[in-house]
Amino acid sequence: QVQVVESGGGLVQAGGSLRLSCVASERVSSLPVMGWYRQTPGNQRELVATITSGGVTNYEESVKGRFTISRDGARNTVYLHANSLNPEDTAVYYCNVHFRGLEYWGKGTLVTVAS
């Protein structure tokens, strides 16, 4: 079983930036896919960005050019650098990792963007 713990959420003004972090209990090199999802009340969880063990990234259309996903193997951490935030980015952000055919989720970190 893999534990993942997110941090870095908070309240930010529109146009501001945050860096979300997700620490995994397994080495990043052993996790074929790591990603960030977000969810707002009454809506399904949606993909924000993913990164593979080979460094291939994928982004949801509305965050392209504003968000960047990256990994730090030495710290077993995946980051989401979120810039130019707007109120529509307000959500609980969840970290997701794949390991040995299963998916593991963190408990989420709340991002609130004030207009």
Side-chain angles (χ1 to χ4, degrees), residues 4-105:
V4 292
V5 179
E6 306 97 334
S7 62
L11 173 64
V12 63
Q13 294 294 315
S17 299
L18 283 175
R19 187 185 76 168
L20 306 184
S21 301
C22 169
V23 180
S25 60
E26 287 288 335
R27 292 174 300 151
V28 166
S29 59
S30 67
L31 304 173
V33 182
M34 304 179 75
W36 288 94
Y37 290 70
R38 64 187 179 186
Q39 187 171 24
T40 54
N43 293 309
Q44 289 188 331
R45 198 168 294 186
E46 66 173 8
L47 170 72
V48 177
T50 60
I51 186 167
T52 70
S53 56
V56 177
T57 58
N58 179 53
Y59 295 94
E60 192 271 328
E61 196 63 34
S62 71
V63 308
K64 284 182 179 178
R66 300 189 298 121
F67 291 13
T68 302
I69 189 169
S70 63
R71 300 174 307 158
D72 184 338
R75 293 178 171 81
N76 289 354
T77 300
V78 61
Y79 300 102
L80 185 69
H81 304 261
N83 300 314
S84 301
L85 286 159
N86 59 61
E88 289 69 38
D89 296 315
T90 295
V92 178
Y93 285 70
Y94 296 91
C95 181
N96 169 275
V97 303
H98 293 209
F99 182 66
R100 295 182 180 176
L102 298 177
E103 293 187 60
Y104 297 89
W105 295 88

